[in-house]
Amino acid sequence: MNLIIFGAPGAGKGTQSAKLVDQYGIKHISSGDLFRNAISNKTELGLRAKGFLDRGDLVPDDITIGMVKEVLQGLGSQGFILDGFPRTVKQAEALQIVLESVSKPIDLALFLIVDHKVLLSRLVGRRVCSKCGAVYHIDSKPPKVSGVCDLCGSPLVHRPDDQESVIANRLEKYQEFTAPLRSYYDNLNLSVEVRGDREEKLVFEEILRLSGKD
Ligand code: AMP
């Protein structure tokens, strides 16, 4: 199973990806996580990407495409879910070429649709485990112990780009560069829309139904 999950920041891509990974045994490829890991490991890629993430801007296509291409080429026979990539038409075109070269066609492009107000409140209250990446929300999904991950006991963090000043830019970038990919995947007959403003479990059940494995 090879999937792409789209949605504005805060739409629930990471949460649903984790469930799909459990369900299908596929690899989660999150371009945002790859960048954040590179930044915390202070690699050359991380140093080049940091300023873009801090501002909520898109990292240039050539850097991003090279990074994801390497992961896709190392997958072997495992399926994948792409989360946060592609984000521009140029990235989508490059992705088609890479996937063709490794004979891994996309089965489905899921588009999570969430109202702007809901996105804002999710992002402002979102807390993420600094170690395992588990996602919480201070009101709707608090951890058992404040500031501590239920799953691995590590500290939770408020992502610097989830601060209100950066969120607006990230949402604008999504509208400008990524939302147009809907018609790109419509033309390939791969896109399906899922309302993401419901309980996680309901969203997941619908995704399973749409991917034909419920
Ligand atoms: P995310 O975790 O998907 O919200 O990504 C966090 C940040 O990483 C984005 O705001 C961008 O700065 C950068 N980023 C992630 N994926 C991409 C991409 N496909 N193209 C350009 N920048 C990206």
Side-chain angles (χ1 to χ4, degrees), residues 146-169:
S146 173
V148 179
C149 179
D150 292 350
L151 303 180
C152 73
S154 302
L156 302 182
V157 293
H158 191 195
R159 275 173 46 174
D161 60 348
D162 278 350
Q163 314 292 332
E164 259 177 296
S165 54
V166 184
I167 288 172
N169 188 30

mmCIF file of all heavy atoms in Angstrom, residues 146-169:
data_model
loop_
_atom_site.group_PDB
_atom_site.id
_atom_site.type_symbol
_atom_site.label_atom_id
_atom_site.label_comp_id
_atom_site.label_asym_id
_atom_site.label_seq_id
_atom_site.Cartn_x
_atom_site.Cartn_y
_atom_site.Cartn_z
ATOM 1 N N SER A 146 0.887 16.299 33.063
ATOM 2 C CA SER A 146 1.106 17.481 32.235
ATOM 3 C C SER A 146 2.561 17.567 31.741
ATOM 4 O O SER A 146 3.507 17.447 32.527
ATOM 5 C CB SER A 146 0.745 18.719 33.063
ATOM 6 O OG SER A 146 1.099 19.859 32.344
ATOM 7 N N GLY A 147 2.727 17.748 30.444
ATOM 8 C CA GLY A 147 4.057 17.961 29.878
ATOM 9 C C GLY A 147 4.883 16.699 29.687
ATOM 10 O O GLY A 147 6.055 16.773 29.299
ATOM 11 N N VAL A 148 4.260 15.523 29.936
ATOM 12 C CA VAL A 148 5.033 14.273 29.823
ATOM 13 C C VAL A 148 4.305 13.295 28.893
ATOM 14 O O VAL A 148 3.090 13.112 28.990
ATOM 15 C CB VAL A 148 5.204 13.616 31.224
ATOM 16 C CG1 VAL A 148 5.978 12.303 31.110
ATOM 17 C CG2 VAL A 148 5.897 14.568 32.171
ATOM 18 N N CYS A 149 5.058 12.652 28.004
ATOM 19 C CA CYS A 149 4.462 11.719 27.043
ATOM 20 C C CYS A 149 3.954 10.456 27.742
ATOM 21 O O CYS A 149 4.696 9.816 28.489
ATOM 22 C CB CYS A 149 5.488 11.354 25.977
ATOM 23 S SG CYS A 149 4.854 10.191 24.753
ATOM 24 N N ASP A 150 2.686 10.086 27.487
ATOM 25 C CA ASP A 150 2.110 8.861 28.057
ATOM 26 C C ASP A 150 2.861 7.625 27.575
ATOM 27 O O ASP A 150 2.948 6.627 28.277
ATOM 28 C CB ASP A 150 0.646 8.669 27.584
ATOM 29 C CG ASP A 150 -0.286 9.712 28.163
ATOM 30 O OD1 ASP A 150 0.137 10.458 29.070
ATOM 31 O OD2 ASP A 150 -1.439 9.778 27.692
ATOM 32 N N LEU A 151 3.362 7.687 26.356
ATOM 33 C CA LEU A 151 3.917 6.477 25.746
ATOM 34 C C LEU A 151 5.362 6.206 26.137
ATOM 35 O O LEU A 151 5.738 5.076 26.385
ATOM 36 C CB LEU A 151 3.836 6.575 24.205
ATOM 37 C CG LEU A 151 2.432 6.793 23.633
ATOM 38 C CD1 LEU A 151 2.473 6.879 22.122
ATOM 39 C CD2 LEU A 151 1.520 5.633 24.058
ATOM 40 N N CYS A 152 6.180 7.283 26.205
ATOM 41 C CA CYS A 152 7.603 7.008 26.469
ATOM 42 C C CYS A 152 8.173 7.836 27.621
ATOM 43 O O CYS A 152 9.354 7.706 27.940
ATOM 44 C CB CYS A 152 8.426 7.202 25.183
ATOM 45 S SG CYS A 152 8.639 8.914 24.719
ATOM 46 N N GLY A 153 7.350 8.685 28.245
ATOM 47 C CA GLY A 153 7.805 9.414 29.436
ATOM 48 C C GLY A 153 8.715 10.610 29.145
ATOM 49 O O GLY A 153 9.225 11.244 30.067
ATOM 50 N N SER A 154 8.902 10.931 27.855
ATOM 51 C CA SER A 154 9.777 12.073 27.516
ATOM 52 C C SER A 154 8.993 13.390 27.590
ATOM 53 O O SER A 154 7.760 13.387 27.540
ATOM 54 C CB SER A 154 10.346 11.895 26.110
ATOM 55 O OG SER A 154 11.055 10.684 26.041
ATOM 56 N N PRO A 155 9.725 14.511 27.670
ATOM 57 C CA PRO A 155 9.028 15.805 27.749
ATOM 58 C C PRO A 155 8.266 16.143 26.461
ATOM 59 O O PRO A 155 8.726 15.806 25.362
ATOM 60 C CB PRO A 155 10.157 16.816 27.957
ATOM 61 C CG PRO A 155 11.400 16.042 28.151
ATOM 62 C CD PRO A 155 11.173 14.627 27.753
ATOM 63 N N LEU A 156 7.122 16.803 26.627
ATOM 64 C CA LEU A 156 6.379 17.284 25.462
ATOM 65 C C LEU A 156 6.851 18.696 25.129
ATOM 66 O O LEU A 156 7.205 19.459 26.034
ATOM 67 C CB LEU A 156 4.872 17.315 25.761
ATOM 68 C CG LEU A 156 4.252 15.991 26.183
ATOM 69 C CD1 LEU A 156 2.748 16.153 26.388
ATOM 70 C CD2 LEU A 156 4.520 14.899 25.144
ATOM 71 N N VAL A 157 6.822 19.032 23.839
ATOM 72 C CA VAL A 157 7.235 20.383 23.445
ATOM 73 C C VAL A 157 6.147 21.045 22.601
ATOM 74 O O VAL A 157 5.332 20.365 21.970
ATOM 75 C CB VAL A 157 8.556 20.367 22.630
ATOM 76 C CG1 VAL A 157 9.726 19.920 23.490
ATOM 77 C CG2 VAL A 157 8.454 19.482 21.391
ATOM 78 N N HIS A 158 6.155 22.367 22.635
ATOM 79 C CA HIS A 158 5.309 23.161 21.733
ATOM 80 C C HIS A 158 6.216 23.507 20.567
ATOM 81 O O HIS A 158 7.178 24.274 20.736
ATOM 82 C CB HIS A 158 4.827 24.417 22.464
ATOM 83 C CG HIS A 158 3.755 25.160 21.742
ATOM 84 N ND1 HIS A 158 3.400 26.440 22.062
ATOM 85 C CD2 HIS A 158 2.950 24.804 20.722
ATOM 86 C CE1 HIS A 158 2.429 26.845 21.260
ATOM 87 N NE2 HIS A 158 2.146 25.865 20.442
ATOM 88 N N ARG A 159 5.946 22.922 19.391
ATOM 89 C CA ARG A 159 6.845 23.160 18.245
ATOM 90 C C ARG A 159 6.993 24.659 18.009
ATOM 91 O O ARG A 159 6.004 25.395 18.025
ATOM 92 C CB ARG A 159 6.253 22.516 16.989
ATOM 93 C CG ARG A 159 6.595 21.063 16.851
ATOM 94 C CD ARG A 159 5.871 20.401 15.707
ATOM 95 N NE ARG A 159 5.863 21.146 14.452
ATOM 96 C CZ ARG A 159 5.363 20.653 13.316
ATOM 97 N NH1 ARG A 159 4.837 19.441 13.294
ATOM 98 N NH2 ARG A 159 5.380 21.364 12.215
ATOM 99 N N PRO A 160 8.226 25.128 17.765
ATOM 100 C CA PRO A 160 8.411 26.572 17.548
ATOM 101 C C PRO A 160 7.535 27.090 16.412
ATOM 102 O O PRO A 160 7.048 28.221 16.465
ATOM 103 C CB PRO A 160 9.897 26.708 17.182
ATOM 104 C CG PRO A 160 10.524 25.386 17.428
ATOM 105 C CD PRO A 160 9.464 24.369 17.689
ATOM 106 N N ASP A 161 7.291 26.237 15.395
ATOM 107 C CA ASP A 161 6.467 26.728 14.286
ATOM 108 C C ASP A 161 4.974 26.549 14.555
ATOM 109 O O ASP A 161 4.149 26.823 13.692
ATOM 110 C CB ASP A 161 6.888 26.111 12.936
ATOM 111 C CG ASP A 161 6.792 24.605 12.898
ATOM 112 O OD1 ASP A 161 6.622 23.974 13.962
ATOM 113 O OD2 ASP A 161 6.866 24.041 11.779
ATOM 114 N N ASP A 162 4.608 26.084 15.762
ATOM 115 C CA ASP A 162 3.194 26.082 16.166
ATOM 116 C C ASP A 162 2.866 27.339 16.977
ATOM 117 O O ASP A 162 1.775 27.456 17.555
ATOM 118 C CB ASP A 162 2.857 24.839 17.005
ATOM 119 C CG ASP A 162 2.588 23.604 16.127
ATOM 120 O OD1 ASP A 162 2.482 23.759 14.903
ATOM 121 O OD2 ASP A 162 2.493 22.499 16.692
ATOM 122 N N GLN A 163 3.787 28.292 17.078
ATOM 123 C CA GLN A 163 3.489 29.565 17.748
ATOM 124 C C GLN A 163 2.627 30.394 16.784
ATOM 125 O O GLN A 163 2.800 30.316 15.564
ATOM 126 C CB GLN A 163 4.773 30.358 18.067
ATOM 127 C CG GLN A 163 5.907 29.551 18.682
ATOM 128 C CD GLN A 163 5.621 29.059 20.091
ATOM 129 O OE1 GLN A 163 4.859 29.694 20.817
ATOM 130 N NE2 GLN A 163 6.199 27.936 20.475
ATOM 131 N N GLU A 164 1.720 31.175 17.379
ATOM 132 C CA GLU A 164 0.737 31.888 16.552
ATOM 133 C C GLU A 164 1.357 32.720 15.436
ATOM 134 O O GLU A 164 0.835 32.778 14.330
ATOM 135 C CB GLU A 164 -0.138 32.777 17.438
ATOM 136 C CG GLU A 164 -1.486 32.122 17.684
ATOM 137 C CD GLU A 164 -2.370 32.929 18.607
ATOM 138 O OE1 GLU A 164 -1.973 33.075 19.779
ATOM 139 O OE2 GLU A 164 -3.428 33.395 18.158
ATOM 140 N N SER A 165 2.522 33.321 15.722
ATOM 141 C CA SER A 165 3.127 34.217 14.732
ATOM 142 C C SER A 165 3.543 33.453 13.465
ATOM 143 O O SER A 165 3.584 34.033 12.383
ATOM 144 C CB SER A 165 4.353 34.898 15.346
ATOM 145 O OG SER A 165 5.226 33.918 15.867
ATOM 146 N N VAL A 166 3.860 32.181 13.585
ATOM 147 C CA VAL A 166 4.342 31.410 12.425
ATOM 148 C C VAL A 166 3.193 30.647 11.750
ATOM 149 O O VAL A 166 3.216 30.393 10.543
ATOM 150 C CB VAL A 166 5.453 30.419 12.866
ATOM 151 C CG1 VAL A 166 6.034 29.674 11.676
ATOM 152 C CG2 VAL A 166 6.569 31.144 13.597
ATOM 153 N N ILE A 167 2.170 30.314 12.544
ATOM 154 C CA ILE A 167 1.074 29.488 12.024
ATOM 155 C C ILE A 167 0.413 30.128 10.797
ATOM 156 O O ILE A 167 0.149 29.458 9.800
ATOM 157 C CB ILE A 167 0.014 29.254 13.138
ATOM 158 C CG1 ILE A 167 0.572 28.292 14.180
ATOM 159 C CG2 ILE A 167 -1.278 28.698 12.558
ATOM 160 C CD1 ILE A 167 -0.313 28.159 15.409
ATOM 161 N N ALA A 168 0.177 31.435 10.868
ATOM 162 C CA ALA A 168 -0.521 32.106 9.763
ATOM 163 C C ALA A 168 0.250 31.919 8.467
ATOM 164 O O ALA A 168 -0.332 31.616 7.413
ATOM 165 C CB ALA A 168 -0.685 33.588 10.075
ATOM 166 N N ASN A 169 1.560 32.039 8.535
ATOM 167 C CA ASN A 169 2.386 31.870 7.331
ATOM 168 C C ASN A 169 2.300 30.437 6.805
ATOM 169 O O ASN A 169 2.189 30.205 5.601
ATOM 170 C CB ASN A 169 3.843 32.240 7.651
ATOM 171 C CG ASN A 169 4.707 32.282 6.405
ATOM 172 O OD1 ASN A 169 4.210 32.594 5.310
ATOM 173 N ND2 ASN A 169 5.984 31.943 6.532
#
